[in-house]
Amino acid sequence: MKIRFFLLDIDYITEKKGLKIRLWGKTADGKNVVVFVQSNPYFFVFPKDIKKAQKDIEEILKGKNISVKGIEKIEKKLNGELKEFLKITCFLPQHTQKIRDFIKVLEKNRGGTGSIIEEYEYSINFYRRFLMDKRIDGNCWLEIEGEKLNTNYKVDLALNAKKIKVLEDISIPELKILAFDIETSEIAGEKQIVMASFYGKAFKKVITDQKSDYPDWVEVVKDEKELLQKIVKTFNEYLPDIIVTYYGDSFDFQVLMDRCQSNKVKLIVSRDKTETKFTRRARISSARLNGIVHLDIFNFISNILSPSLQTEVLSLDAVSSELLGDKKIEVDYQEMLEAWRKGKNLSKLAEYCLKDAELTYRLAEILLPQNFEITKTVGQILFDVSRMTYGQLVEWYLSRKASEKNEIIPNQPKYEQVLKRRKITYIGGFVKEPLPGIHEKIAILDFRSLYPSLIVSFNISPETLNCDCCEENGHKVAGLNYWFCQRKEGFIPSVIKELIEKRSQIKKKLKETEKTSLEYKVLYNRQYALKIIANATYGYFGFAGSKWYSKECAESCSALGRYWIKKTIEEAENKGFEVIYADTDSLFLKTKDGDIKQATEAFLDYINEKFPGMLELDLQGYYETGIFIPRGAAPGTAKKRYALIDKKGELLIRGLETVRRDWCNLAKEVQRKVLEFVLRDKDIEMAKQYVKEVVENIKQKQILLKDLIIYEELTKPIETYKQIGPHVMAAKKLRERGMEVGEGMLIMFIITKGQGSISQRAEPVEFVSLKEIDSDYYIYHQILPAALRVLQVLGVSEKDLVS
């Protein structure tokens, strides 16, 4: 039989009959499918003497009592040149590493015969290799021809595949998405789950074990064990395609797993009816549900989306506020504990819990299409891609393209190599310090994908560096003794060129496509996926753990970037512009006389004619007024410190406290208001008066405690911190009170009055009242520095703001 289905997940199983890949997905008419495919893992050996190497390998394996499925001679490109390799096909995924370790002794530098030079691709994940080999575009539509099977899985159809075809189809079937969230409380010295909430399309549910007068969507059970059983039952009855959490890898599923084990409840959610397991993904362990995708939105936001967000606080509340224009229901921790212990206000607690699941669901609705397009670009599945950093996305994209172009994928560097690389430095991008003060009628220009354009234009790739054929006439790097080949296109430039050209074609198509259509949304997300991968490639050259690491390539990109921004500044000044500020790939211009728009358009036409290759300068926007703060004008080290206001009165702020997480909300609000007084109203006196009022309110404690909370993330386990900052101290105090604290957790604390350093006086917000705050700390370390960051440039001093 033949079926079409949308791939959602992939894994593999080992049976008596051999190794099988499992493809899980959904048909257009809503049927859940699993497809079994026979496949075998393999790796490559680069021999010095191919016949001797094969003979030596066979001899070693005889003595080790391990067999291989086959050894064959093939041709692959290594550093752009076609070479002979041995392809060793194994029976099990774990055998690739094992056999590689056995035969490594044949290398000359290990005292062997020298018949082997190196082994490659032995550590590539088996199912990820399968996706690359079959040219499967991540979560995409597949056509399967095969035989129908019987299984006890929670699916409508199972097939043994004979043929697999990747289809061109931009649609996504209607998927059952279920958001999940839990609330916990300390009971009898243990963290227990007291509420669980679910939210899906036309579905909402809260389960709790404490009686009260609840709405009809709340189900009351007798104890925590029954609550856990009901959670498992809800998952299995709803049978979602995707389970969405916010911080679920590190909290919700971790706690759920622990409590299930303590209560002897089996956490069986997967479609193959096996218990939930945790698999390592980057720095975290992730809850893996076979056949059901667990999407932890926090990971994607933290790794990929955060640079484009205004907020640096990545809590569900802050992210929902920015992306959805909606917030959590306000309930502080003390109120929550009290509600639970005294059995009061439990209905509000249920609404609070459900709201978290609702916000998580709505975030998934807007972020899933983006995620799916990234999976199609990288060629891997949602579970993995949603947890990848920029560097990992680039690595898997390059690996996919290497497989397509018959290139050998370089090995992961050893730990010692990584440590050595981390010590190597080079000069970064050029920054022209801003002209301090207020400026009017500003144009911002930036290079369109500066580093990707330079990589393509100058053919920057490890194998094209300092080639023998182009020493005299290669692509020279200004200020460095490097050149890149003019004759043969490098692997990485060829890949990035495809990305840039694809994105350019999509952007043209977007202009002709109806904005409300499905096609527009898909194309927009696709060009975004192409953009983030192309822009991250330069950083990947210099990343110590990179498979395609090249300090020379990273340094060359940086040097060429500096050369062309300086050249552009020089040309702009020659054309009568005043360059207020420049940073890496952008320039801030104003004209000494004449119309800024007219002058800018003429300059763009002129300068783009002069640029080589794909290098191009774009208009980012026009702004009515802006304030620029030079480094050293006030405390702090951020290189980008400015605020601009456009014709609509909207603020664009960079590098100031309003967009940083380590300042309380009141300090951020003060700075934003000061910027509005200065840029919108052009009234410095009003700004000063406003700051004085806030200072007085703090002294009189006429403020809200929540506006004084400082947020800081624990980026590693508490024990590993050598410097004990306020957030680490607050985290320790939380743990001493029996609360679970771990890496990645956002710590919320208040600085209280009393003896000792600021760190010693940092207290978790849950245990502080307004009367305990250190007013002087908030005035002199938060409010005044935030205000003076703007006002000091305009001649205002601390004395002017404190009576």
Side-chain angles (χ1 to χ4, degrees):
M1 70 179 296
K2 196 184 279 188
I3 61 160
R4 290 172 84 255
F5 79 105
F6 185 79
L7 178 67
L8 280 169
D9 198 15
I10 179 171
D11 56 19
Y12 66 88
I13 52 168
T14 309
E15 297 178 325
K16 285 180 183 176
K17 294 178 183 176
L19 197 61
K20 282 186 179 177
I21 290 282
R22 294 189 299 190
L23 303 170
W24 305 87
K26 194 153 194 173
T27 61
D29 60 355
K31 287 190 174 72
N32 287 102
V33 178
V34 63
V35 173
F36 297 89
V37 191
Q38 287 288 156
S39 187
N40 286 96
Y42 59 86
F43 69 101
F44 301 107
V45 172
F46 183 39
K48 190 170 185 183
D49 180 327
I50 200 156
K51 286 182 181 175
K52 188 166 183 355
Q54 185 163 349
K55 192 179 172 188
D56 288 349
I57 290 167
E58 287 166 353
E59 282 297 315
I60 279 182
L61 296 181
K62 271 182 204 170
K64 298 293 182 185
N65 198 25
I66 189 167
S67 59
V68 295
K69 191 164 186 181
I71 302 177
E72 61 181 309
K73 297 171 192 174
I74 62 156
E75 286 190 332
K76 297 276 288 181
K77 287 182 199 167
L78 180 63
N79 296 327
E81 291 183 20
L82 212 54
K83 305 275 185 185
E84 278 197 322
F85 284 82
L86 288 172
K87 179 183 178 182
I88 301 180
T89 304
C90 308
F91 285 104
L92 295 172
Q94 58 266 37
H95 285 178
T96 56
Q97 183 75 56
K98 205 171 184 180
I99 292 168
R100 180 260 179 178
D101 290 345
F102 287 149
I103 67 175
K104 197 160 179 65
V105 296
L106 296 172
E107 293 174 15
K108 196 171 184 179
N109 61 351
R110 292 175 181 265
T113 60
S115 57
I116 285 178
I117 297 171
E118 185 60 278
E119 310 81 36
Y120 292 97
E121 303 190 17
Y122 48 83
S123 61
I124 292 178
N125 177 291
F126 176 50
Y127 71 71
R128 291 185 180 183
R129 155 79 74 195
F130 176 85
L131 292 169
M132 289 194 293
D133 287 349
K134 296 294 181 184
R135 309 283 188 261
I136 293 173
D137 301 330
N139 297 108
C140 64
W141 287 93
L142 300 174
E143 184 179 88
I144 306 290
E145 204 175 304
E147 297 169 352
K148 199 172 175 182
L149 290 173
N150 289 320
T151 70
N152 68 336
Y153 293 177
K154 292 180 282 184
V155 294
D156 302 303
L157 185 64
L159 258 75
N160 232 341
K162 288 180 179 174
K163 284 183 185 174
I164 299 175
K165 184 182 174 186
V166 180
L167 302 173
E168 276 291 321
D169 187 340
I170 65 166
S171 68
I172 294 171
E174 189 171 337
L175 301 172
K176 286 183 82 176
I177 300 165
L178 185 64
F180 170 61
D181 184 74
I182 62 168
E183 300 302 329
T184 63
S185 184
E186 206 71 30
I187 299 170
E190 276 189 311
K191 181 193 283 287
Q192 293 189 21
I193 297 174
V194 296
M195 270 189 184
S197 60
F198 299 87
Y199 195 94
K201 190 177 179 182
F203 180 80
K204 59 182 179 181
K205 185 175 189 173
V206 169
I207 308 168
T208 182
D209 62 357
Q210 187 144 315
K211 291 177 182 176
S212 186
D213 185 20
Y214 295 115
D216 58 5
W217 38 264
V218 178
E219 184 177 355
V220 181
V221 295
K222 66 176 180 182
D223 56 21
E224 191 195 24
K225 183 168 184 173
E226 194 180 338
L227 190 151
L228 296 167
Q229 289 167 337
K230 286 283 183 184
I231 289 172
V232 175
K233 191 180 178 188
T234 303
F235 280 136
N236 284 298
E237 285 178 348
Y238 193 83
L239 260 186
D241 301 303
I242 299 172
I243 292 174
V244 192
T245 60
Y246 198 93
Y247 210 56
D249 279 339
S250 300
F251 181 73
D252 301 77
F253 268 104
Q254 291 277 5
V255 174
L256 181 60
M257 173 79 90
D258 290 344
R259 297 314 300 158
C260 281
Q261 286 172 352
S262 296
N263 286 274
K264 295 183 171 54
V265 173
K266 288 192 173 180
L267 185 54
I268 296 173
V269 180
S270 298
R271 288 192 183 273
D272 63 358
K273 300 181 181 177
T274 58
E275 286 195 64
T276 302
K277 289 177 183 165
F278 279 81
T279 56
R280 195 76 185 162
R281 288 293 179 274
R283 289 188 310 161
I284 53 168
S285 285
S286 303
R288 184 81 201 249
L289 314 166
N290 303 333
I292 295 173
V293 182
H294 170 215
L295 174 65
D296 182 348
I297 292 180
F298 173 79
N299 293 315
F300 176 69
I301 288 170
S302 177
N303 291 333
I304 304 303
L305 209 60
S306 56
S308 62
L309 295 177
Q310 281 283 318
T311 179
E312 283 196 14
V313 180
L314 301 183
S315 63
L316 176 61
D317 191 45
V319 172
S320 299
S321 179
E322 184 168 337
L323 296 181
L324 303 173
D326 198 357
K327 301 186 98 176
K328 285 162 67 90
I329 294 169
E330 282 191 24
V331 178
D332 65 38
Y333 190 73
Q334 284 297 103
E335 192 182 340
M336 207 183 288
L337 284 178
E338 204 158 304
W340 192 253
R341 285 169 188 159
K342 295 181 180 176
K344 291 179 180 176
N345 249 348
L346 288 174
S347 188
K348 185 181 178 184
L349 204 56
E351 286 171 10
Y352 170 88
C353 189
L354 183 68
K355 185 69 177 181
D356 282 5
E358 182 203 328
L359 292 173
T360 302
Y361 177 85
R362 286 167 59 198
L363 283 172
E365 280 188 310
I366 62 169
L367 295 178
L368 259 173
Q370 243 176 55
N371 272 269
F372 278 138
E373 286 310 317
I374 297 171
T375 72
K376 288 173 186 176
T377 302
V378 173
Q380 296 296 326
I381 56 163
L382 180 63
F383 176 80
D384 292 323
V385 166
S386 65
R387 289 164 172 83
M388 287 180 184
T389 61
Y390 277 110
Q392 289 166 326
L393 289 176
V394 172
E395 183 170 294
W396 282 103
Y397 182 75
L398 291 177
S399 297
R400 178 189 187 183
K401 299 311 284 186
S403 174
E404 285 176 19
K405 292 171 184 279
N406 200 35
E407 287 268 358
I408 281 285
I409 299 167
N411 291 330
Q412 207 81 48
K414 296 181 180 66
Y415 183 62
E416 301 76 37
Q417 278 178 289
V418 172
L419 290 180
K420 198 175 173 184
R421 288 173 179 180
R422 282 179 184 160
K423 292 174 184 173
I424 297 168
T425 58
Y426 55 90
I427 302 166
F430 172 74
V431 178
K432 181 187 184 297
E433 279 294 315
L435 299 174
I438 293 178
H439 299 272
E440 295 187 347
K441 305 296 180 188
I442 301 159
I444 303 181
L445 309 180
D446 53 23
F447 284 97
R448 185 184 293 174
S449 302
L450 175 65
Y451 290 123
S453 298
L454 289 170
I455 289 167
V456 174
S457 302
F458 293 90
N459 201 23
I460 299 171
S461 200
E463 77 279 15
T464 61
L465 172 69
N466 293 357
C467 62
D468 295 332
C469 56
C470 300
E471 189 170 354
E472 298 303 318
N473 60 350
H475 293 290
K476 304 281 184 192
V477 180
L480 297 172
N481 192 26
Y482 303 144
W483 67 90
F484 292 92
C485 191
Q486 284 263 28
R487 299 182 183 182
K488 189 172 68 177
E489 187 178 35
F491 166 63
I492 289 176
S494 72
V495 167
I496 293 179
K497 189 177 180 183
E498 283 176 28
L499 281 172
I500 293 172
E501 286 174 347
K502 261 190 206 172
R503 185 168 180 244
S504 181
Q505 287 162 10
I506 290 170
K507 287 183 91 174
K508 279 180 190 169
K509 203 170 180 185
L510 275 171
K511 288 176 184 174
E512 302 157 7
T513 309
E514 177 58 50
K515 284 193 176 183
T516 55
S517 68
L518 168 68
E519 188 183 9
Y520 185 91
K521 288 171 189 168
V522 169
L523 290 173
Y524 181 84
N525 286 320
R526 191 165 294 174
Q527 67 80 30
Y528 173 78
L530 296 170
K531 177 187 173 181
I532 64 171
I533 291 163
N535 286 345
T537 314
Y538 153 69
Y540 188 67
F541 273 144
F543 168 54
S546 166
K547 289 183 177 181
W548 278 272
Y549 174 84
S550 172
K551 176 252 184 187
E552 294 86 356
C553 289
E555 192 177 18
S556 297
C557 289
S558 196
L560 287 163
R562 288 195 305 275
Y563 174 82
W564 286 105
I565 190 96
K566 285 179 184 176
K567 188 83 177 156
T568 308
I569 290 168
E570 187 186 310
E571 292 282 359
E573 287 172 344
N574 289 341
K575 290 290 181 184
F577 288 96
E578 188 172 10
V579 181
I580 307 164
Y581 173 53
D583 181 10
T584 310
D585 62 351
S586 55
L587 302 92
F588 295 65
L589 309 177
K590 70 176 187 179
T591 52
K592 289 170 184 173
D593 46 59
D595 181 81
I596 184 71
K597 290 186 180 179
Q598 198 176 350
T600 302
E601 284 167 17
F603 177 66
L604 283 170
D605 290 340
Y606 164 77
I607 196 71
N608 282 327
E609 284 293 316
K610 287 181 165 283
F611 289 143
M614 301 185 90
L615 216 57
E616 191 173 350
L617 200 62
D618 267 347
L619 172 72
Q620 189 266 321
Y622 296 109
Y623 294 86
E624 291 297 296
T625 315
I627 186 166
F628 294 81
I629 296 125
R631 206 191 307 248
T637 55
K639 62 176 181 175
K640 290 184 181 182
R641 281 208 296 271
Y642 59 85
L644 303 157
I645 198 163
D646 64 16
K647 257 190 171 176
K648 295 176 185 174
E650 291 177 7
L651 282 169
L652 171 72
I653 301 166
R654 291 288 179 267
L656 296 170
E657 283 67 27
T658 55
V659 292
R660 287 175 54 187
R661 75 166 73 173
D662 53 345
W663 292 74
C664 70
N665 282 340
L666 186 58
K668 294 177 185 182
E669 178 63 18
V670 165
Q671 192 175 79
R672 181 171 282 274
K673 287 273 191 189
V674 166
L675 285 167
E676 286 173 0
F677 282 126
V678 168
L679 296 178
R680 189 177 292 157
D681 305 325
K682 297 182 172 56
D683 194 332
I684 297 169
E685 285 307 312
M686 279 291 288
K688 284 160 65 177
Q689 188 55 41
Y690 164 71
V691 177
K692 285 178 184 179
E693 286 170 14
V694 173
V695 167
E696 197 54 39
N697 287 343
I698 293 173
K699 286 178 181 177
Q700 302 300 325
K701 299 203 169 42
Q702 293 176 352
I703 40 170
L704 296 173
L705 185 66
K706 67 174 185 172
D707 290 336
L708 302 180
I709 297 170
I710 302 166
Y711 300 83
E712 196 81 50
E713 187 184 347
L714 277 180
T715 56
K716 52 188 178 182
I718 292 179
E719 298 76 21
T720 61
Y721 279 92
K722 290 175 185 173
Q723 297 283 328
I724 307 298
H727 72 299
V728 180
M729 185 60 76
K732 284 186 170 187
K733 289 174 182 177
L734 279 172
R735 197 165 64 176
E736 284 164 11
R737 288 177 167 107
M739 294 177 69
E740 194 171 309
V741 177
E743 182 182 351
M745 186 173 172
L746 198 66
I747 306 298
M748 300 183 289
F749 61 93
I750 298 281
I751 305 300
T752 58
K753 58 190 173 186
Q755 299 298 309
S757 66
I758 288 171
S759 290
Q760 289 166 328
R761 291 185 283 113
E763 290 288 336
V765 65
E766 296 92 336
F767 308 102
V768 179
S769 65
L770 191 59
K771 65 182 180 185
E772 295 171 275
I773 68 159
D774 181 348
S775 300
D776 282 351
Y777 167 80
Y778 282 97
I779 292 167
Y780 292 99
H781 292 270
Q782 290 271 329
I783 304 306
L784 293 179
L788 286 169
R789 183 83 84 229
V790 178
L791 294 173
Q792 196 167 310
V793 181
L794 306 173
V796 178
S797 69
E798 187 178 292
K799 214 182 247 184
D800 298 326
L801 301 176
V802 183
S803 301

